[in-house]
Amino acid sequence: MGRRLVHGVSGAAVFLASVALLSMRHRGTREAAQYPGIGEGVLEKPEQQSEGSPEGSGGRGQKDLKLHPPEAHRTEGSLTLGDIFIAVKTTKKFHQSRVELLLDTWISQASEQTYIFTDEEDGALKRRMGGRVIFTNCSAEHSHQALSCKMATEFDAFLASGLSWFCHLDDDNYLNPRALLKLLSSYAETWDVYLGKPSLNRPIRASETLPDNQTKSVRFWFATGGAGFCISRRLARKMVPWASGRNFLSTSELIRLPDDCTMGYIIECKVGGQLIPSALFHSHLENLQLIPTSQLMQQVTLSYGVFENKLNVIELSGPFSPQEDPSSRFRSLHCHLYPDTSWCLQAVGW
């Protein structure tokens, strides 16, 4: 499997060049216009930047995350969806059951910005996504090595794109593009921003492997990949020595944890950044029925799955019944957000 992991990372290099070419026209136009206010001293440095060297402390030592209001980072800029690189991680066995649902729903509203990262060729998916489906050749296993292989490919594709924001999602997430754009518009890409939702109420502890068979205890916050997370380009550039290409797999091996944990480890223990928690991201690890129906339209990501041995989906009325839209309620949610979608208009009584 190790050979396939290495091949998966290096085999994606051909795709990275095409991503860069796709983004050149957009990037050039955006940079020529620039963001009004950015670089003109109107933004103060966000308080989430950690002080001192993280290497000596094994990451941030505080027990609680500090929630910094977006207003502290607000920019006057004109961020668009075209500035965001959206990566969706999946595997071949979920192409039909999960990815097609996403293609029918939220990806239809952000198709030019969304890239699917998977492990095996699929002609049907290729026909629907064109050059925006990336066959990583990573293993289909759910091991930290295989997951890290895909994450490394996502990260390098983002770097090659030249875009301002990297947002990672799983294939069981519904993304509200409008809510995402509103959230990211509250932060400047010129600062180190790491947005997401921790799945734990405390920093995770890990043993970092050192030379001569020594280990060091580290602890850090991380945004769970199951809810999605976003990273600014400025922060991503600082992560390159540990996160680009084969370096990501090597870094993952230091703590032997999955890809989302490795991201948090790199950002907090290597770069000195800090997770900015957001309650607008949601994974199947939380009780989704507790989200008030009145607030569903404001959430950035939602999910579905099994929680405490019960089907875990959002509670939402119409236009499709629970029998017609049983596993996720994503079709009904999509029709509430985008009622002009053709198949929404065909729903009885909608």
Side-chain angles (χ1 to χ4, degrees):
M1 185 185 72
R3 181 180 300 175
R4 189 176 185 188
L5 291 177
V6 172
H7 185 208
V9 174
S10 59
V14 176
F15 165 74
L16 301 184
S18 64
V19 170
L21 290 173
L22 284 172
S23 68
M24 283 178 64
R25 180 178 299 176
H26 166 77
R27 183 70 176 177
T29 302
R30 187 181 63 82
E31 289 184 344
Q34 296 186 339
Y35 289 126
I38 293 181
E40 298 175 3
V42 299
L43 292 173
E44 296 183 359
K45 191 170 184 179
E47 294 180 2
Q48 85 267 17
Q49 298 299 318
S50 62
E51 298 178 358
S53 170
E55 292 295 328
S57 60
R60 294 198 332 283
Q62 54 266 59
K63 295 181 179 179
D64 298 317
L65 283 174
K66 302 297 183 182
L67 184 59
H68 299 279
E71 288 73 15
H73 315 267
R74 191 169 296 281
T75 173
E76 299 293 330
S78 53
L79 188 72
T80 70
L81 277 178
D83 298 309
I84 306 170
F85 186 97
I86 303 170
V88 178
K89 179 182 66 182
T90 189
T91 186
K92 176 67 179 294
K93 70 176 182 179
F94 290 138
H95 287 182
Q96 275 194 308
S97 60
R98 294 186 180 182
V99 177
E100 286 190 5
L101 174 62
L102 305 188
L103 291 172
D104 290 341
T105 55
W106 71 262
I107 291 180
S108 67
Q109 304 298 315
S111 59
E112 295 299 308
Q113 295 76 42
T114 304
Y115 294 81
I116 305 292
F117 291 80
T118 189
D119 41 53
E120 289 187 39
E121 295 275 354
D122 185 330
L125 183 59
K126 182 75 172 179
R127 285 190 292 273
R128 290 199 66 175
M129 288 293 292
R132 289 179 172 78
V133 56
I134 296 87
F135 303 112
T136 64
N137 202 36
C138 300
S139 170
E141 295 181 6
H142 201 71
S143 63
H144 79 265
Q145 297 99 328
L147 296 174
S148 294
C149 176
K150 287 179 184 174
M151 184 65 78
T153 308
E154 291 180 34
F155 187 78
D156 282 347
F158 161 66
L159 291 177
S161 75
L163 300 180
S164 303
W165 290 92
F166 168 61
C167 292
H168 161 88
L169 300 171
D170 278 354
D171 57 11
D172 58 355
N173 288 134
Y174 184 99
L175 172 71
N176 182 344
R178 288 196 293 249
L180 175 66
L181 185 59
K182 181 179 179 181
L183 176 64
L184 295 187
S185 294
S186 299
Y187 299 88
E189 62 163 303
T190 52
W191 297 114
D192 297 350
V193 181
Y194 174 35
L195 281 167
K197 188 171 192 176
S199 58
L200 304 174
N201 60 5
R202 64 190 184 281
I204 189 172
R205 291 184 178 273
S207 294
E208 176 186 332
T209 302
L210 300 175
D212 301 322
N213 294 321
Q214 300 297 308
T215 60
K216 179 178 71 173
S217 178
V218 294
R219 64 175 188 166
F220 52 91
W221 291 96
F222 73 95
T224 178
F229 58 80
C230 295
I231 297 172
S232 65
R233 170 161 289 273
R234 174 185 163 108
L235 179 57
R237 284 172 174 164
K238 294 181 179 181
M239 297 167 60
V240 166
W242 300 277
S244 181
R246 299 178 187 179
N247 294 335
F248 195 99
L249 278 74
S250 299
T251 305
S252 175
E253 285 297 325
L254 291 179
I255 56 173
R256 297 172 299 281
L257 289 174
D259 53 332
D260 52 357
C261 297
T262 302
M263 276 290 190
Y265 167 70
I266 293 171
I267 291 170
E268 298 215 343
C269 296
K270 297 299 183 183
V271 176
Q274 180 176 333
L275 173 65
I276 303 174
S278 174
L280 299 176
F281 293 81
H282 301 277
S283 80
H284 66 276
L285 298 175
E286 61 186 280
N287 189 343
L288 296 167
Q289 295 184 357
L290 295 180
I291 304 173
T293 303
S294 61
Q295 297 179 17
L296 287 174
M297 307 303 124
Q298 288 76 50
Q299 307 310 303
V300 172
T301 64
L302 293 162
S303 187
Y304 65 96
V306 176
F307 180 79
E308 296 180 347
N309 297 319
K310 296 180 181 179
L311 184 63
N312 186 26
V313 296
I314 57 175
E315 288 198 351
L316 184 66
S317 62
F320 299 102
S321 69
Q323 291 72 34
E324 296 171 309
D325 184 19
S327 62
S328 68
R329 301 298 287 153
F330 281 3
R331 293 188 183 277
S332 294
L333 173 67
H334 186 78
C335 290
H336 279 279
L337 287 166
Y338 302 98
D340 292 338
T341 303
S342 60
W343 47 265
C344 294
L345 295 172
Q346 297 169 4
V348 177
W350 187 248

